[in-house]
Amino acid sequence: MTARWTWHGGGVAAASAHFGGAPESWLDLSTGINPHAWPGAAEQAIDWRVLPDEQGLRALEQAAADHFGVAADHVCALPGTEVGLRLVGTLLDGSVRHASPAYRTHGAMVPGAAPVDIDRLGDADGQTLILANPNNPDGRFHDAADLVALLDRRGPDGWLVVDEAFADGHPGISLAPFVADDRRLMLLRSFGKFFGLAGLRLGFLVAPRAIIARVRERLGAWPVSAAAIAIGTAAYRDSGWIEAMRDQLQREAQALDALLVHYGYQPMGQSPLFRLIETADAMALFERLAGQAILTRPFEAQPNWLRIGLPADAIGLARLKQALRHG
């Protein structure tokens, strides 16, 4: 019954159809997407009559590169990181391992790739290794120094592929400054999660220039929409909003932590966009919350886990509090 919601976040319409209640009445805490969307999207002038402009695309990649802390010729815009992960998977050969538990697509990128326990990443020395930082779904951090050490142990044919979809809230953990033509390091970055505009479908690959050239060739002439170019460029240049949002998310995550602790749950993770709790009745708790039109994220492979995204405001936090109180 919960299979629809253990696959990935979202699915409010399906939840509404199954549990009842109008879709607009649901509180969606299942995705880990910033509930505070960048406010300038509606103000961008977008000409839908013409093809996306190549000069604009390069400006977008420059703005993103400045935000990441890397040269623009190491950055390639993508129609979302989900596409990017699967495209990168086609470039990998040899022995490939993916950290576990982690984002489901990491295990589907390369046929035959094998999991390696996230606490025993040294078991993948000499091989290509795919992982996330911060990790999804548990939100744990890998120190940049530890990841550089992992990079140094890939061997002559191995790559380190790091999914940094949730890194924007914590710029100090990114490996972007280490990307270079002589390092076998690739990063995936998401726009929609931190900027709260997941429907735009915009992401980036940060990699050696030879890899960037191969990916651009596969993507073709217009990899992202005119809207993605205009909105993404302006948002990445809005440094004031970015800094203020990082502080706001940390404060709101602390309030969520306090609520969960109050009701006997120990929140795990350091990404402010979501928290993971471990409880023997995780599936039952998911269904109780769904019965009150609150959608969270259960996990089939970890039946004692439940991920809870950040509520958008005090009203959302109060709804969650009431649901936990009556659970």
Side-chain angles (χ1 to χ4, degrees):
M1 191 277 294
T2 57
R4 169 60 183 83
W5 299 283
T6 61
W7 183 255
H8 55 67
V12 168
S16 171
H18 186 89
F19 293 101
E24 59 270 19
S25 71
W26 277 72
L27 177 62
D28 186 2
L29 304 181
S30 68
T31 65
I33 295 167
N34 187 353
H36 311 292
W38 180 68
E43 301 170 6
Q44 303 309 306
I46 301 165
D47 188 348
W48 294 104
R49 300 166 299 175
V50 298
L51 290 168
D53 179 67
E54 183 177 353
Q55 185 176 359
L57 178 61
R58 298 288 91 81
L60 166 64
E61 290 172 344
Q62 181 66 66
D66 293 341
H67 175 75
F68 302 153
V70 68
D73 54 2
H74 287 288
V75 175
C76 176
L78 304 164
T81 50
E82 179 72 15
V83 169
L85 287 166
R86 295 177 184 274
L87 197 159
V88 165
T90 68
L91 305 178
L92 302 174
D93 51 24
S95 181
V96 178
R97 309 290 296 274
H98 58 91
S100 178
Y103 184 53
R104 184 188 295 269
T105 298
H106 295 175
M109 289 168 58
V110 182
V116 58
D117 191 285
I118 197 169
D119 293 317
R120 300 185 59 182
L121 296 179
D123 291 351
D125 284 357
Q127 305 167 76
T128 288
L129 176 62
I130 303 166
L131 56 83
N133 193 36
N135 194 44
N136 178 15
D138 59 16
R140 72 167 75 181
F141 283 6
H142 300 280
D143 290 338
D146 293 338
L147 292 183
V148 171
L150 282 174
L151 174 62
D152 292 339
R153 302 202 301 271
R154 289 310 92 213
D157 300 317
W159 287 86
L160 180 64
V161 180
V162 184
D163 182 350
E164 294 187 343
F166 289 99
D168 293 272
H170 307 273
I173 71 170
S174 175
L175 289 191
F178 296 93
V179 171
D181 290 336
D182 60 350
R183 290 196 179 105
R184 297 177 68 83
L185 172 65
M186 289 188 267
L187 312 177
L188 280 302
R189 297 291 295 244
S190 168
F191 173 81
K193 290 182 174 61
F194 179 77
F195 289 93
L197 297 169
L200 198 65
R201 305 314 304 141
L202 177 62
F204 298 87
L205 174 66
V206 186
R209 286 177 291 181
I211 295 293
I212 295 297
R214 292 177 65 185
V215 170
R216 283 182 175 155
E217 181 180 10
R218 295 192 179 195
L219 287 171
W222 303 287
V224 298
S225 69
I229 290 172
I231 294 171
T233 302
Y236 278 126
R237 289 175 176 170
D238 193 351
S239 58
W241 182 89
I242 290 169
E243 290 302 320
M245 182 51 57
R246 285 170 176 158
D247 291 340
Q248 179 178 343
L249 291 175
Q250 291 293 340
R251 293 193 302 270
E252 293 180 355
Q254 291 171 5
L256 177 58
D257 286 344
L259 175 63
L260 294 172
V261 169
H262 178 77
Y263 286 99
Y265 302 105
Q266 182 57 50
M268 296 183 284
Q270 295 162 283
S271 173
L273 292 174
F274 59 86
R275 287 294 188 260
L276 186 77
I277 60 173
E278 186 169 8
T279 175
D281 65 346
M283 287 295 184
L285 178 58
F286 164 79
E287 294 187 8
R288 289 200 302 271
L289 293 174
Q292 299 178 65
I294 298 176
L295 186 60
T296 54
R297 173 72 192 281
F299 298 89
E300 183 178 8
Q302 291 88 21
N304 291 336
W305 283 8
L306 192 69
R307 195 182 69 186
I308 301 174
L310 195 66
D313 50 30
I315 295 174
L317 191 67
R319 279 189 64 181
L320 179 60
K321 178 179 180 178
Q322 183 179 20
L324 292 173
R325 178 191 301 138
H326 294 296

